[in-house]
Amino acid sequence: VTNDKVSFSAYMDDPAIAYVHDVIIPFKNVITSTPSHAYNRLTSSFTAPSDGNYFFLVSVDISADYDALCIQKNGHPVVWGHNDGLSARHIVASCVMTLKNGDLVTVNHSL
């Protein structure tokens, strides 16, 4: 059992990928990342630095550009968040994933 603390917070301020299916949502602005290499702002991806259970929470304003999002582990869908097509202006998705050292987590735009 390790006592490693892992955390990151990132956000986007450029809605540049409107309506493109299966593209990683660009959370390029990093507030904090511990350890510093866990979240890569250039690829907008998280790489697990050690085996363990990880909690992810994603919140995306979908008023103009996003119909749905998908949190993926190693390229495979884990959880989806969808616009209801009527009045939803925000998608929030969360999950707990068991990851191995080196597993890759991304948030993708989905249609």
Side-chain angles (χ1 to χ4, degrees), residues 14-76:
D14 180 21
I17 61 164
Y19 304 109
V20 178
H21 178 68
D22 204 30
V23 171
I24 295 172
I25 296 175
F27 296 102
K28 302 286 187 192
N29 302 292
V30 179
I31 297 170
T32 183
S33 182
T34 305
S36 61
H37 64 277
Y39 184 78
N40 184 327
R41 69 177 186 83
L42 299 176
T43 62
S44 295
S45 61
F46 172 81
T47 303
S50 59
D51 295 359
N53 294 317
Y54 292 81
F55 174 73
F56 293 89
L57 174 68
V58 179
S59 175
V60 176
D61 175 353
I62 51 99
S63 58
D65 299 321
Y66 298 97
D67 290 331
L69 62 85
C70 178
I71 301 174
Q72 295 188 2
K73 173 184 170 183
N74 298 324
H76 301 285

